[in-house]
Amino acid sequence: MARVPALLPGTLDLLILRALQKDALHGWAISERLQEISEDVLQINQGSLYPALHRLEHQGWLEAEWQVSELGRRAKYYRLTTSGRRQLTIEAREWERISHAIERVMKLA
C-alpha cells in the first residue's frame, strides 16, 4: 500500500474550495471526490476535513445548509459563497506560482 502524502499547509483549503466549485456537497462526499479525482493518492481524514470546513465557513468562503443525503440521512451540505469563489481564484493562482517554482527547482537542481 502506498504511503498517503502529507499536504502542504493551506493545501486542504484550496482542495475543498475546488471540490465545491460546481456543486454543494456534504463532508463525506467532499472527501470521496478528492480521493477519486486524485486516483486514491489523497485521502483526507475526517479529523482534518471537518475543522477545515468549519474554518472556511467561519471565514465566509463557504455556507452550509442541512439537507437529506442520497442515502436518506441528514447531512450538512457546503457550497461556495461569492467570497469563496474569489478566494479560490486567488489560491489557485498562488498554487500555480508555487508549483511552477518547485518544478523549476526540481528540473535544475
Side-chain angles (χ1 to χ4, degrees):
M1 177 179 233
R3 185 175 77 79
V4 177
L7 295 175
L8 295 171
T11 306
L12 180 56
D13 292 358
L14 171 62
L15 295 174
I16 291 170
L17 294 174
R18 182 65 178 98
L20 293 170
Q21 187 175 24
K22 292 183 181 174
D23 308 313
L25 296 171
H26 55 76
W28 183 260
I30 293 168
S31 178
E32 292 272 308
R33 179 174 283 181
L34 294 175
Q35 185 171 341
E36 180 184 322
I37 292 171
S38 72
E39 299 178 343
D40 293 328
V41 172
L42 301 175
Q43 297 175 14
I44 312 301
N45 73 49
Q46 305 301 299
S48 298
L49 179 65
Y50 287 100
L53 288 169
H54 181 72
R55 183 177 59 253
L56 295 172
E57 187 180 6
H58 183 72
Q59 289 172 314
W61 298 338
L62 300 181
E63 58 188 8
E65 176 183 17
W66 288 98
Q67 297 179 16
V68 177
S69 74
E70 62 280 359
L71 299 175
R73 296 183 183 154
R74 197 165 176 257
K76 198 171 185 181
Y77 279 73
Y78 298 88
R79 78 180 77 252
L80 287 181
T81 62
T82 302
S83 176
R85 291 189 185 283
R86 276 193 303 268
Q87 189 63 28
L88 173 58
T89 300
I90 292 167
E91 293 202 23
R93 276 192 210 129
E94 185 64 10
W95 176 258
E96 289 291 327
R97 189 177 74 82
I98 291 171
S99 64
H100 179 70
I102 292 172
E103 183 180 338
R104 287 178 50 97
V105 170
M106 294 303 291
K107 286 182 178 176
L108 298 175

